[in-house]
C-alpha cells in the first residue's frame, strides 16, 4: 500500500514538472532547507467553459497583482537576509519554491500538491526505480496563502502531513479551529476582532441603518456573521445583507446595485477582498452613486484594485482597517533593483516588467501570442527601463503591512530552525526532552518548534504565537483622501483600534482628520429615522425594525436631555420636567408658611384670639367680686379662659414647615385644649342646672358640687383625652412627610400615623360637646345671671357645624390646605365659644355696670322662682280639681284661688343702711308663702 502511494506521488511529482496541469511559473532557488510560498500574483483566472471535447487546458491567470508580487519579493528578501546572516542559521542555506495562487483555490492546490508530493518522495527510497541525481529537498514550511478561502483549502491538505503553514493575510476566524487546521499559523489578527471593531465604529458615529456586503467564501461569511452578532448587541440594524463574488454575472451585479441604490441606508460595510469588491465598485462608479459611505475590511481597505483615481468620486471618504505598518530595512532598495535580465530564479519578474511598462520583452511567450492574435499588441521593451520612474503599487513601500507580515513569517521559520539546530539534549521539546535530528529534520518538528516560538526580532519587537497559533496585532484606521497633487488616493491615518486593552478604550478616532466623501467635514446620516430631539423618545413602529421609530414626547415628570433617546428618564421625586421635557427642575416646596398671605391671616386671627381671651381674662380678674363674675363660677371661668388661650395657641402649631416634633404635638395640643374647654362648660352648666332643679338646696348639694369636685370632674374628662393622645403617640406617632403626588409641588405635611386615633380624638371632643349641648338646652330657662344656657347652646351649635363641616373638608383637600382647614376649624370654634360665653358679660361689666348689681340678680332670681311656683301651683290645682270631681260628683265650682306677687317699688332697691335682701311674697289662695334667697358673700357657694 505504501509502495502504491509512493509510486502515485512520484508520477504526480513528475507531472508537476512537465504537464500543463502544474504551475509553470514559479520563483525557485535551491538550498539546504526549502521553504514554500503561495502568493496571489494575479487576481483571478479567466472564466472558460470546459466542454471536455479535448484535453482540458490549464486555466489562465488574469489581472496582474503588483502588491502580490511585492509580497513575494518580501519573502525572497527575508531569505536572502537570513542566508547572508552570520548569526542566524550559519552554514545553512535556505531555498524556496514560490507559486502563484491566482487568488483561487484550484491554483493554490496545484502548488500545494507539489509541496506534499516532494515530501512524500523524500520519505520513500526510490533508488531502485530511478537514478535521482538532481535531488530537491523537502518543503519544511509554507508561507501563504493570502485569501482565507485559499488558505482554508491549503490548510486542509498541509494539515494531513503536519507541514507548518504561516499565512500573512488570511484572517478568517474559522482558521482558529486547531482541531481542523492543525498546522495552520498566521501573522495577522483574526477577523474576530475586526468585526467587533467595525461595529464599534458604527456605534461611535451613531449610525443604526447600514448595508452589509460580504464575499461568498470562508473570509466573508464568517466575518459578516460575527459582524451581525455584534450589531445586534448594539441595537443597530442591517437593512440589506448581500453576498458578492468576482465571478458574478453582470446582471447579478446590476441587481445588487439596484438594491443598494434604493436603500435608505447610506453606510455600506464590505467584508470581502479587493477582487470580489471590484465589480461592485465599477458598477457604482458607472452610475455615479456618490452618496454612500464605505466601511472597508482589511482585505481591501488599501487594495490597488479599488484605490484608483477613477473610483474616487464614489469611494472618497472610505473608512478602512489596515494592519499596523512595519519597517523592513533595505527593502526599498531591494525592490528597485529588480530587472528581468539579472534575475533568473524568479519567473514572475518578466510578466511584472511587461505589466509595469505595458510592453513585451523580446523573448516573451506573450509576444508570440499577440502575433497569433490571442493577445493585444504592445510595444517591445528592452528590460533596461528605469523602474523608479514607473507609477506602480509595487514601489509603495511607505506602509508595509502585508509585506511586513511575510517578512515576520519567514524570520519565524528561520528562528524555529535555529532553535532546533542549537537545541541542548535534555532540554528539547520532543519525547524525553530530546532534540530533533538536524541531519534529517522533518516538517512536524518545525511545527512543534514554531508553536513554542518566542524571540525578539531585528527591530526589537517580540514575536510569539498564542494558543491559537496567531499573533496579536492592532488595526490602524485609515480614511481615503484625494491627493491635491495628482488626484490619486491617499490613505490618511485617523485613528487606531487596540484589541488588547480594556473595553471602552479600544477605539480612538481623530474626527478632525476625517473627510467625508472626500471633501466634507459633516458627518453623514445613516439612520432609518430622523434623530429624536431632546425631550422626546423613540417609539416603536409596528412591523418595522427597531431602528425605525417615531419620536414621542416624554410624559410629564420624565425628560431626555440628548438626541435619539431610547427611553425618557423619570425625574427624581424632588424634581419635575420642564415644558419641553429636556431637563428636570426642583419642585417648589409648599407648606402653610408663616410668610404667605394665608398663613399671615391665620396667624393674625390666632394672635387676636389669644389677645381677646387674655383681655376677657383680665376683665374678669379686675371685676372678680362683681355679681356677674361671681354668678358665672369665677374659678371655672378662669380655667375656661385659659383653655381658650390654649385652643388659639394650638392653631399656631399647624403653621410653618412641619417637623416631626410639631406633628406629634399639634393634634394632642388641639384635642386636649378643646376637651379642657368643653369640660369646664359642661361641669359649670350641669352644676347650676342641678342646683336650680333642687327644691331646697341642701348641704348634700353643697358638698357634692363643691369647687374641688368640679375641678376633679374637669380633670377626669381631660385625662381621658390625654390617654387617647398617649396611646396614639406610642403606637403610631405622627411624623412629617413629603407628598410628591402633585406634579410641580412637594407638599410637606404631617402624616397623622393613625386616622383612627385622630377620629377618636375629635369624636371624644364632640361627645363632650353633645352632652354639654344637652345640659345647656335643658337649662335654657334658668336665670340668665346664673347660666348662659342660650349662649352655650348657640356656641355648641357653632362647634358642631364647624367640626361636622371639617370632616369632608379635611378628606377632600390636600397639601397645605389640610392644615389650613384644621386651623380655620379651630379658630372658628374657639371664637364661637369665646364670643358666645363671654362677650355679653364683658359688655355688661364694661358698658352696663347698672346691670352688674345684686338687685339685678335678685330680680332675675325672683322672676324665675315665681315662674316655678306658679307652674307648680297650677299643676297642683289642676290635680285637685280632678280628684274632687271624681270623688264628690258636685257640679259646683271649687273655691277660687289667686296668685299674687306683692312687691312695691322698693322691693328690688334696698333702703339706705339695709342689707340687700329680697323677700318677695307669693300668695296661694288662703295662705302666703315667703321665699327667701340670700346672696350674702358668705353663702355664695351654697347657691352657685
Amino acid at each position: 500500500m505504501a509502495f502504491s502511494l509512493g509510486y502515485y506521488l512520484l508520477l504526480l511529482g513528475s507531472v508537476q514538472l512537465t504537464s500543463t496541469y502544474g504551475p509553470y511559473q514559479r520563483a525557485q532557488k535551491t538550498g539546504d532547507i526549502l521553504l514554500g510560498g503561495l502568493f496571489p500574483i494575479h487576481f483571478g483566472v479567466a472564466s472558460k467553459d470546459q466542454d471536455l471535447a479535448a484535453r482540458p487546458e490549464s486555466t489562465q491567470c488574469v489581472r496582474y497583482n503588483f502588491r502580490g508580487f511585492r509580497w513575494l519579493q518580501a519573502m525572497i528578501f527575508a531569505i536572502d537576509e537570513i542566508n547572508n546572516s552570520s548569526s542566524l542559521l550559519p552554514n545553512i542555506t535556505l531555498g524556496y519554491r514560490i507559486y502563484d495562487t491566482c487568488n483561487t483555490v484550484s491554483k493554490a492546490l496545484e502548488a500545494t500538491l507539489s509541496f506534499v508530493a516532494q515530501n512524500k518522495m523524500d520519505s520513500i527510497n526510490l533508488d531502485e526505480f530511478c537514478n535521482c541525481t538532481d535531488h530537491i529537498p523537502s518543503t519544511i514550511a509554507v508561507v501563504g496563502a493570502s485569501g482565507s478561502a485559499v488558505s482554508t483549502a491549503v490548510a486542509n491538505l498541509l494539515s494531513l502531513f503536519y507541514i507548518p503553514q504561516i499565512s500573512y493575510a488570511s484572517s478568517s476566524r474559522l482558521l482558529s479551529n486547531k482541531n481542523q487546521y492543525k498546522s495552520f499559523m498566521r501573522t495577522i489578527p483574526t477577523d474576530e476582532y475586526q468585526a467587533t471593531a467595525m461595529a464599534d465604529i458604527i456605534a461611535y458615529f451613531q449610525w443604526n441603518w447600514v448595508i452589509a456586503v460580504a464575499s461568498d467564501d470562508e473570509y466573508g461569511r464568517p466575518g459578516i456573521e460575527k459582524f451581525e452578532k455584534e450589531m445586534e448587541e448594539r441595537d443597530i440594524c442591517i437593512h440589506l445583507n448581500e453576498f458578492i463574488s468576482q465571478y458574478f454575472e453582470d446582471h447579478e451585479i446590476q441587481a445588487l446595485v439596484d438594491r443598494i441604490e434604493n436603500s435608505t441606508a447610506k453606510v455600506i460595510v464590505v467584508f470581502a477582498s479587493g477582487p470580489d469588491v471590484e465589480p461592485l465598485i465599477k458598477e457604482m462608479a458607472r452610475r455615479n452613486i456618490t452618496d454612500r459611505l464605505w466601511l472597508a475590511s482589511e482585505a481591501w481597505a488599501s487594495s490597488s484594485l479599488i484605490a484608483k483615481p477613477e473610483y474616487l468620486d464614489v469611494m472618497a471618504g472610505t473608512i478602512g482597517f489596515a494592519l499596523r505598518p512595519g519597517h523592513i530595512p533595505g527593502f526599498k532598495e531591494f525592490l528597485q533593483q529588480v530587472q528581468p535580465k539579472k534575475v533568473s530564479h524568479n519567473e514572475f519578474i518578466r510578466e511584472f516588467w511587461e505589466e509595469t511598462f505595458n510592453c513585451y520583452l523580446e523573448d516573451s511567450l506573450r509576444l508570440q501570442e499577440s502575433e497569433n492574435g490571442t493577445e493585444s499588441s504592445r510595444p517591445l521593451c528592452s528590460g533596461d527601463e528605469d523602474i523608479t520612474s514607473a507609477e506602480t503599487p509595487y514601489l509603495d513601500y511607505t506602509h508595509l503591512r502585508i509585506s511586513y507580515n511575510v517578512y515576520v513569517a519567514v524570520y519565524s521559520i528561520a528562528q524555529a530552525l535555529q532553535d532546533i539546530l542549537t537545541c541542548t539534549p535534555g532540554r528539547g521539546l520532543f519525547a524525553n526532552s530530546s532534540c530533533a535530528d538536524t541531519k534529517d529534520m522533518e516538517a512536524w518538528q518545525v511545527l512543534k518548534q514554531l508553536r513554542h516560538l518566542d524571540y525578539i526580532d531585528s527591530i526589537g519587537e517580540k514575536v510569539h504565537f498564542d494558543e491559537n497559533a496567531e499573533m496579536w496585532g492592532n488595526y490602524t484606521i485609515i480614511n481615503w483622501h484625494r491627493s491635491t497633487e495628482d488626484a490619486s488616493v491617499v490613505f490618511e491615518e485617523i485613528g487606531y483600534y487596540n484589541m488588547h486593552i480594556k473595553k471602552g478604550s479600544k477605539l480612538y478616532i481623530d474626527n478632525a482628520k476625517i473627510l467625508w466623501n472626500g471633501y466634507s467635514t459633516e458627518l453623514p446620516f445613516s439612520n432609518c429615522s430622523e434623530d429624536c430631539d431632546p425631550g422626546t423618545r423613540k417609539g416603536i413602529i409596528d412591523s418595522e425594525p427597531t431602528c425605525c421609530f417615531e419620536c414621542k414626547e416624554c410624559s410629564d415628570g420624565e425628560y431626555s436631555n440628548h438626541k435619539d433617546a431610547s427611553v425618557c428618564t423619570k425625574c427624581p421625586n424632588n424634581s419635575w420636567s420642564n415644558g419641553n421635557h429636556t431637563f428636570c427642575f426642583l419642585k417648589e416646596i409648599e407648606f402653610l408658611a408663616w410668610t404667605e398671605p394665608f398663613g399671615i391671616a391665620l396667624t393674625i386671627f390666632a394672635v387676636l384670639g389669644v389677645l381677646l381671651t387674655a383681655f376677657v381674662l383680665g376683665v374678669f380678674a379686675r371685676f372678680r367680686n362683681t355679681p356677674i363674675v361671681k354668678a358665672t363660677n369665677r374659678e371655672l371661668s378662669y380655667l375656661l379662659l385659659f383653655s381658650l388661650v390654649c385652643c388659639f395657641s394650638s392653631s399656631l402649631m399647624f403653621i410653618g414647615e412641619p417637623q416631626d416634633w410639631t406633628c406629634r404635638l399639634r393634634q394632642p395640643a388641639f384635642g386636649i385644649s378643646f376637651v379642657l374647654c368643653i369640660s369646664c362648660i359642661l361641669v359649670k352648666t350641669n352644676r347650676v342646672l342641678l342646683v336650680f332643679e333642687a327644691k331646697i338646696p341642701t348641704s348634700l348639694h353643697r358638698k357634692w358640687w363643691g369647687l374641688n369636685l368640679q375641678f376633679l370632674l374637669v380633670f377626669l374628662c381631660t385625662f381621658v383625652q390625654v390617654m387617647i393622645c398617649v396611646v396614639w403617640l406610642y403606637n403610631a406617632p405622627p411624623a412629617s412627610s413629603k407628598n410628591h403626588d402633585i406634579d410641580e409641588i412637594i407638599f410637606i405635611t404631617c402624616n397623622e400615623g393613625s386616622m383612627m386615633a385622630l377620629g377618636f380624638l375629635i369624636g371624644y371632643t364632640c361627645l363632650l360637646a353633645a352632652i354639654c349641648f344637652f345640659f345647656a338646652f335643658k337649662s335654657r330657662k334658668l336665670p340668665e345671671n346664673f347660666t348662659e344656657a342660650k349662649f352655650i347652646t348657640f356656641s355648641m351649635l357653632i362647634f358642631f357645624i364647624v367640626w361636622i363641616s371639617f370632616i369632608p373638608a379635611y378628606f377632600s383637600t390636600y397639601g397645605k390646605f389640610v392644615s389650613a382647614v384644621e386651623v380655620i376649624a379651630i379658630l372658628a370654634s374657639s371664637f364661637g365659644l369665646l364670643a358666645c360665653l363671654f362677650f355679653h358679660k364683658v359688655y355688661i361689666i364694661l358698658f352696663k355696670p347698672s346691670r352688674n348689681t345684686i338687685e339685678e340678680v335678685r330680680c332675675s332670681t325672683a322672676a324665675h322662682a315665681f315662674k316655678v311656683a306658679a307652674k307648680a301651683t297650677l299643676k297642683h290645682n289642676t290635680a285637685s280639681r280632678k280628684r274632687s270631681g271624681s270623688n264628690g260628683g258636685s257640679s259646683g265650682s271649687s273655691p277660687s284661688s289667686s296668685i299674687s306677687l306683692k312687691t312695691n317699688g322698693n322691693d328690688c332697691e334696698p333702703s339706705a343702711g339695709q342689707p340687700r335682701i329680697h323677700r318677695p311674697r307669693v300668695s296661694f289662695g288662703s295662705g302666703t308663702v315667703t321665699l327667701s334667697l340670700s346672696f350674702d358673700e358668705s353663702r355664695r357657694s351654697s347657691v352657685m
Side-chain angles (χ1 to χ4, degrees):
M1 184 72 180
F3 174 79
S4 300
L5 178 61
Y7 184 72
Y8 170 75
L9 290 173
L10 174 63
L11 295 177
L12 180 61
S14 63
V15 166
Q16 292 288 343
L17 296 175
T18 60
S19 171
T20 57
Y21 281 100
Y24 63 88
Q25 270 190 317
R26 70 189 71 181
Q28 179 171 305
K29 187 177 182 180
T30 59
D32 301 321
I33 298 175
L34 206 61
L35 304 184
L38 297 172
F39 293 90
I41 308 303
H42 294 84
F43 284 113
V45 295
S47 58
K48 186 177 181 180
D49 293 334
Q50 301 284 359
D51 58 3
L52 301 180
R55 182 185 180 90
E57 296 180 357
S58 178
T59 53
Q60 183 180 4
C61 298
V62 295
R63 293 185 297 164
Y64 197 84
N65 184 0
F66 292 95
R67 293 178 69 215
F69 181 66
R70 187 177 73 231
W71 302 341
L72 178 148
Q73 290 286 78
M75 180 176 177
I76 295 175
F77 175 77
I79 291 175
D80 288 347
E81 267 194 345
I82 295 169
N83 288 337
N84 295 326
S85 173
S86 58
S87 59
L88 187 59
L89 297 179
N91 303 320
I92 292 180
T93 301
L94 293 180
Y96 53 83
R97 278 194 298 165
I98 304 174
Y99 293 100
D100 179 14
T101 65
C102 300
N103 204 35
T104 59
V105 171
S106 59
K107 289 292 184 181
L109 287 178
E110 282 187 60
T112 306
L113 282 172
S114 69
F115 301 145
V116 174
Q118 184 63 47
N119 283 24
K120 294 308 295 182
M121 283 190 292
D122 285 347
S123 65
I124 302 173
N125 186 5
L126 300 176
D127 291 340
E128 58 184 290
F129 298 101
C130 64
N131 183 16
C132 301
T133 57
D134 190 14
H135 176 69
I136 300 176
S138 299
T139 302
I140 206 74
V142 176
V143 176
S146 60
S148 295
V150 175
S151 287
T152 300
V154 172
N156 279 318
L157 184 55
L158 293 179
S159 295
L160 294 175
F161 304 97
Y162 291 94
I163 300 175
Q165 172 193 359
I166 303 180
S167 175
Y168 47 84
S170 300
S171 55
S172 173
R173 64 189 182 94
L174 297 181
L175 289 167
S176 298
N177 185 353
K178 295 297 108 179
N179 292 325
Q180 185 173 357
Y181 308 106
K182 300 178 179 63
S183 63
F184 179 81
M185 310 176 81
R186 53 186 163 191
T187 56
I188 187 173
T190 174
D191 288 335
E192 187 84 11
Y193 303 108
Q194 187 175 189
T196 303
M198 282 185 165
D200 284 345
I201 283 185
I202 292 173
Y204 175 82
F205 291 115
Q206 298 180 2
W207 296 319
N208 68 5
W209 195 238
V210 300
I211 298 171
V213 179
S215 57
D216 191 12
D217 55 23
E218 284 77 3
Y219 172 72
R221 286 192 300 269
I224 210 68
E225 179 183 335
K226 174 66 175 176
F227 175 73
E228 290 173 0
K229 182 179 179 182
E230 294 290 336
M231 296 284 277
E232 185 177 350
E233 291 178 359
R234 292 164 176 78
D235 292 329
I236 301 174
C237 300
I238 298 176
H239 184 212
L240 292 178
N241 201 339
E242 303 287 346
F243 288 103
I244 58 172
S245 172
Q246 61 177 313
Y247 303 111
F248 267 14
E249 299 291 340
D250 290 343
H251 68 88
E252 294 178 292
I253 293 294
Q254 291 171 4
L256 173 58
V257 174
D258 287 340
R259 292 192 291 273
I260 292 176
E261 191 173 12
N262 293 330
S263 173
T264 56
K266 301 301 181 182
V267 174
I268 305 175
V269 180
V270 182
F271 231 105
S273 62
D276 288 325
V277 177
E278 186 185 20
L280 173 63
I281 303 303
K282 275 186 177 180
E283 182 63 21
M284 295 284 286
R286 188 184 69 82
R287 299 192 188 188
N288 196 30
I289 303 174
T290 60
D291 61 341
R292 297 297 193 272
L293 175 72
W294 301 81
L295 185 57
S297 65
E298 177 275 330
W300 72 277
S302 56
S303 173
S304 58
L305 274 180
I306 312 300
K308 296 180 179 179
E310 56 265 33
Y311 296 152
L312 263 184
D313 289 340
V314 174
M315 303 305 297
T318 295
I319 292 179
F321 287 88
L323 299 176
R324 182 175 58 86
H327 177 62
I328 305 176
F331 187 51
K332 173 182 177 181
E333 292 75 15
F334 178 80
L335 293 176
Q336 293 175 349
Q337 291 172 1
V338 64
Q339 260 195 344
K341 292 182 178 180
K342 294 181 180 179
V343 182
S344 60
H345 58 267
N346 190 344
E347 299 178 6
F348 298 109
I349 292 181
R350 299 180 62 83
E351 186 179 1
F352 161 73
W353 203 266
E354 293 176 348
E355 292 296 330
T356 301
F357 294 101
N358 194 25
C359 64
Y360 290 131
L361 295 170
E362 292 181 356
D363 54 349
S364 173
L365 294 176
R366 299 173 67 188
L367 176 60
Q368 299 175 6
E369 293 175 353
S370 67
E371 292 175 351
N372 296 331
T374 58
E375 287 282 345
S376 60
S377 177
R378 293 183 183 180
L380 291 176
C381 49
S382 64
D384 296 325
E385 288 80 9
D386 183 10
I387 188 64
T388 59
S389 64
E391 293 183 4
T392 171
Y394 168 76
L395 294 178
D396 183 13
Y397 41 75
T398 55
H399 298 289
L400 299 176
R401 295 183 172 92
I402 302 299
S403 300
Y404 182 73
N405 285 355
V406 174
Y407 185 78
V408 171
V410 174
Y411 263 89
S412 297
I413 297 171
Q415 187 64 45
L417 294 172
Q418 175 77 6
D419 293 342
I420 291 175
L421 294 175
T422 58
C423 176
T424 302
R427 301 180 64 181
L429 299 175
F430 306 101
N432 301 319
S433 300
S434 61
C435 297
D437 184 1
T438 56
K439 295 181 180 180
D440 189 19
M441 195 183 307
E442 296 187 48
W444 65 269
Q445 294 172 325
V446 178
L447 177 61
K448 176 73 172 178
Q449 197 69 46
L450 280 169
R451 290 177 177 176
H452 294 80
L453 189 66
D454 193 353
Y455 73 100
I456 304 298
D457 63 11
S458 59
I459 60 175
E461 292 190 354
K462 184 177 181 180
V463 178
H464 168 72
F465 291 97
D466 62 15
E467 65 275 5
N468 292 323
E470 300 167 350
M471 286 187 181
W472 287 4
N474 300 319
Y475 290 109
T476 297
I477 302 175
I478 59 176
N479 184 218
W480 288 22
H481 290 188
R482 188 190 301 270
S483 172
T484 56
E485 298 177 358
D486 55 4
S488 62
V489 179
V490 177
F491 302 121
E492 179 72 23
E493 293 187 7
I494 60 171
Y496 61 82
Y497 187 86
N498 191 334
M499 60 190 72
H500 302 295
I501 61 177
K502 64 180 181 178
K503 190 175 183 180
S505 303
K506 296 178 182 291
L507 178 66
Y508 168 76
I509 293 179
D510 187 353
N511 293 324
K513 293 183 177 180
I514 301 177
L515 288 180
W516 305 107
N517 299 112
Y519 59 88
S520 175
T521 58
E522 183 180 355
L523 179 68
F525 181 83
S526 185
N527 291 26
C528 181
S529 302
E530 292 289 336
D531 291 341
C532 290
D533 294 329
T536 62
R537 64 171 178 85
K538 296 187 291 187
I540 298 175
I541 302 176
D542 293 338
S543 70
E544 291 288 341
T546 56
C547 299
C548 302
F549 50 82
E550 58 182 350
C551 297
K552 294 186 177 180
E553 187 176 4
C554 293
S555 302
D556 291 338
E558 297 179 346
Y559 75 100
S560 63
N561 56 6
H562 60 276
K563 284 188 174 183
D564 217 16
S566 298
V567 294
C568 295
T569 305
K570 187 175 181 60
C571 292
N573 283 338
N574 63 341
S575 302
W576 193 252
S577 58
N578 65 328
N580 295 329
H581 302 94
T582 55
F583 64 89
C584 293
F585 61 89
L586 292 177
K587 289 183 178 180
E588 182 181 354
I589 296 178
E590 284 198 6
F591 50 85
L592 190 58
W594 298 98
T595 55
E596 65 175 288
F598 199 25
I600 293 173
L602 293 177
T603 302
I604 290 174
F605 278 107
V607 172
L608 179 62
V610 171
L611 295 177
L612 288 176
T613 307
F615 173 75
V616 172
L617 183 60
V619 170
F620 268 52
R622 172 69 180 81
F623 297 96
R624 59 184 177 277
N625 294 321
T626 60
I628 289 292
V629 176
K630 292 179 181 179
T632 56
N633 199 332
R634 183 169 51 193
E635 288 75 9
L636 279 181
S637 295
Y638 292 159
L639 185 59
L640 176 59
L641 289 169
F642 169 76
S643 67
L644 285 175
V645 171
C646 293
C647 290
F648 284 114
S649 301
S650 68
S651 66
L652 297 176
M653 301 184 71
F654 290 82
I655 305 174
E657 182 176 355
Q659 305 290 338
D660 287 345
W661 67 272
T662 57
C663 290
R664 291 185 175 96
L665 287 180
R666 66 181 193 173
Q667 296 292 5
F670 142 71
I672 293 172
S673 300
F674 265 91
V675 165
L676 178 62
C677 175
I678 295 176
S679 298
C680 292
I681 299 172
L682 176 64
V683 169
K684 185 173 68 168
T685 304
N686 192 38
R687 172 187 169 277
V688 174
L689 177 65
L690 292 177
V691 168
F692 272 90
E693 283 189 347
K695 300 298 184 289
I696 299 177
T698 64
S699 60
L700 179 63
H701 287 92
R702 298 190 188 98
K703 180 180 180 181
W704 183 249
W705 287 105
L707 189 61
N708 293 334
L709 185 59
Q710 296 175 43
F711 283 117
L712 177 61
L713 291 175
V714 171
F715 171 77
L716 291 176
C717 293
T718 308
F719 181 74
V720 173
Q721 185 76 309
V722 171
M723 292 308 299
I724 292 174
C725 295
V726 169
V727 173
W728 181 7
L729 293 177
Y730 180 79
N731 291 310
S736 64
S737 65
K738 294 182 178 180
N739 186 350
H740 301 275
D741 296 339
I742 307 302
D743 293 348
E744 301 178 8
I745 301 173
I746 297 177
F747 286 117
I748 302 181
T749 58
C750 285
N751 180 4
E752 303 299 350
S754 172
M755 295 306 297
M756 182 180 294
L758 179 61
F760 275 118
L761 183 141
I762 298 177
Y764 178 69
T765 305
C766 292
L767 176 63
L768 291 181
I771 298 173
C772 185
F773 175 78
F774 171 75
F775 285 126
F777 182 79
K778 192 173 181 181
S779 60
R780 66 189 182 280
K781 296 182 180 180
L782 293 181
E784 293 182 358
N785 286 358
F786 282 84
T787 182
E788 310 85 7
K790 294 179 181 178
F791 297 105
I792 292 175
T793 302
F794 187 67
S795 66
M796 290 301 104
L797 285 176
I798 294 175
F799 184 87
F800 281 124
I801 292 172
V802 169
W803 288 102
I804 290 174
S805 302
F806 164 78
I807 294 174
Y810 183 85
F811 287 102
S812 61
T813 54
Y814 57 88
K816 65 180 181 181
F817 302 107
V818 175
S819 299
V821 166
E822 192 160 358
V823 170
I824 292 173
I826 292 172
L827 293 178
S829 54
S830 299
F831 273 113
L833 292 173
L834 178 65
C836 293
L837 295 178
F838 293 101
F839 279 5
H840 70 289
K841 292 183 176 62
V842 171
Y843 175 76
I844 291 174
I845 292 172
L846 296 179
F847 301 107
K848 297 291 183 178
S850 59
R851 295 178 58 185
N852 189 15
T853 60
I854 191 64
E855 288 78 8
E856 187 72 19
V857 174
R858 287 175 181 174
C859 290
S860 175
T861 305
H864 176 73
F866 172 75
K867 293 176 183 178
V868 172
K871 192 177 293 184
T873 301
L874 184 61
K875 186 184 296 184
H876 173 73
N877 291 340
T878 303
S880 298
R881 284 198 300 271
K882 288 181 179 179
R883 284 195 301 270
S884 61
S886 60
N887 292 334
S890 173
S891 59
S893 63
S894 60
S896 64
S897 60
S898 62
I899 300 175
S900 62
L901 176 62
K902 295 184 178 180
T903 62
N904 53 39
N906 296 325
D907 285 341
C908 292
E909 297 292 336
S911 60
Q914 292 182 348
R916 294 176 176 270
I917 300 174
H918 185 193
R919 299 178 182 273
R921 296 177 178 272
V922 183
S923 300
F924 299 92
S926 60
T928 301
V929 178
T930 302
L931 177 63
S932 299
L933 294 176
S934 175
F935 286 90
D936 292 337
E937 181 69 23
S938 61
R939 298 180 61 193
R940 72 183 186 279
S941 61
S942 64
V943 178
M944 289 189 296

